[in-house]
Amino acid sequence: MATDATSTGFTGAEQPPSWRLTQVLGVQVAVSANVFAAALELKQRGGGQIVTLNAEMTMAARANPELGAAIAQADLVIPDGAGVVWALGRQGYKVRRSPGIELARALLEYAACHGWKVALVGSSPEVMQTLRQRLSSEIPGLNLVLTIHGYQAPELWPGLEAELRGARPDLVLVALGVPRQETWIQRLHQGQPGLWMGVGGSFDVWSGLKQRAPQWMGRLQIEWLYRLLQEPSRWRRMLALPAFAWEVLRRG
Ligand code: UDP
C-alpha cells in the first residue's frame, strides 16, 4: 500500500540533512555543495543556528568551552575562511569558501521576496541606524520587524530578548562579535522557527563604516592582512592563524 507524508507523519526534519559532517581540529563543519540551499533546508526543517567558521574561531572554540559548546550544538556550521577550506582540502573535501557576509546578504534578499520577518541585532547605534535605512532602500520588500543595537544597558537586554522571541522572526542576523554572538544565539534560538546567524562585522560593512578586502586579496587568500591593516588592534587575535595552520599540519 502506498503511504504518503500525512499517513506516515513524515516531515523533512526526520530525514538526515543533505550536508556531510566533518571536523576541523575537533570542531564540526558541514560540507555542502551550496551553503545557501543548506540554509534554506535548515529553515524548512524548523530553523536553527548557523555558524560561519574561520581559523580564528576554530582556535577560540578550542580554548573557550562556552564557545566550543555553542558551535558543537549549532545546526549548520559553514566554512568561512581560507584556513578552514585549506584544512578541509587536506581531508579530501573540495569545498568553496563561503563568506558569511555573502550568505547573510543572500538570505536577506530571499527573506524580502518570501515575506520573512527579519530581525537585526548588534553593532553600534549609529551603524544600526544607517543600516536600517540602507537595507530598506537596497532590498525592497524587506520586512524588518525588530532592530536592536549591540550596546544596550545590561538591564535592557532581558526585555529586548523577550520582545525578539515574541516576534518569532524567520531570520535573525546577530553582529555582537565572536564569541558573544554565538553563545547569545545558542541561548535564545531554542524553540524558535527562524534561522539565527552570527555575522561579525557584516553590519559595519553594509552600513559603509568598514570596507571588505578587495577581490584580488580574496583571491590571494590574504583578506586577513587587509583586516589587520584596517584594525591593527586585531594583531594579537590573529596569532591564532599560524597556530591553526601549525596544528592542522601537526595532526597530518
Ligand atoms: N559589537 C556589539 N556590541 C559589543 C561588541 C561588539 O554590537 O558589545 C559589534 C561591533 O560593533 C561590530 C560587531 O559586534 O559591529 C563585531 O564585529 P567584529 O568585526 O569584531 O566581529 P568578530 O570578528 O569579532 O566576529
Side-chain angles (χ1 to χ4, degrees):
M1 193 183 77
T3 52
D4 63 21
T6 349
S7 65
T8 57
F10 168 83
T11 67
E14 286 152 20
Q15 287 262 317
S18 65
W19 53 87
R20 288 182 68 156
L21 283 182
T22 184
Q23 295 196 335
V24 168
L25 300 186
V27 179
Q28 69 147 328
V29 193
V31 177
S32 74
N34 180 334
V35 293
F36 178 65
L40 293 186
E41 180 185 327
L42 178 61
K43 177 73 172 74
Q44 275 183 341
R45 300 167 74 87
Q49 176 168 8
I50 300 178
V51 170
T52 61
L53 188 74
N54 60 26
E56 191 184 315
M57 242 172 126
T58 307
M59 296 310 277
R62 287 155 54 89
N64 174 343
E66 222 193 325
L67 176 62
I71 299 178
Q73 287 165 43
D75 302 281
L76 180 61
V77 181
I78 68 165
D80 170 3
V84 172
V85 169
W86 167 73
L88 288 173
R90 288 177 58 85
Q91 294 179 26
Y93 293 113
K94 295 274 163 275
V95 297
R96 261 189 304 146
R97 205 189 133 211
S98 306
I101 189 169
E102 291 173 15
L103 173 60
R105 187 76 184 199
L107 288 171
L108 282 179
E109 279 161 16
Y110 185 92
C113 297
H114 293 81
W116 282 12
K117 292 184 283 184
V118 176
L120 308 174
V121 181
S123 72
S124 71
E126 300 76 29
V127 163
M128 184 54 92
Q129 197 183 356
T130 312
L131 184 67
R132 259 202 322 258
Q133 289 160 357
R134 280 211 179 180
L135 288 182
S136 299
S137 74
E138 288 171 8
I139 310 180
L142 187 66
N143 180 14
L144 285 179
V145 291
L146 196 58
T147 58
I148 303 171
H149 73 70
Y151 293 85
Q152 312 284 341
E155 64 273 18
L156 294 180
W157 277 108
L160 291 166
E161 290 168 5
E163 195 183 343
L164 176 63
R165 284 179 54 87
R168 296 186 68 74
D170 299 290
L171 178 64
V172 186
L173 301 182
V174 183
L176 291 171
V178 177
R180 184 172 162 208
Q181 62 192 22
E182 276 68 36
T183 53
W184 188 84
I185 289 175
Q186 193 212 7
R187 185 165 58 80
L188 285 170
H189 87 88
Q190 318 281 348
Q192 287 277 309
L195 295 176
W196 293 57
M197 176 176 173
V199 296
S202 301
F203 293 177
D204 297 340
V205 172
W206 291 338
S207 71
L209 180 74
K210 286 188 187 151
Q211 251 100 66
R212 271 190 87 185
Q215 279 186 352
W216 65 265
M217 285 185 117
R219 275 195 298 276
L220 289 178
Q221 307 200 335
I222 51 170
E223 273 170 322
W224 58 271
L225 178 60
Y226 186 83
R227 191 106 202 240
L228 184 60
L229 294 173
Q230 270 202 339
E231 297 171 67
S233 60
R234 294 179 86 93
W235 72 269
R236 199 182 291 278
R237 284 176 62 171
M238 285 188 166
L239 293 178
L241 301 179
F244 171 89
W246 169 248
E247 194 61 22
V248 171
L249 291 171
R250 197 178 67 84
R251 289 198 177 194

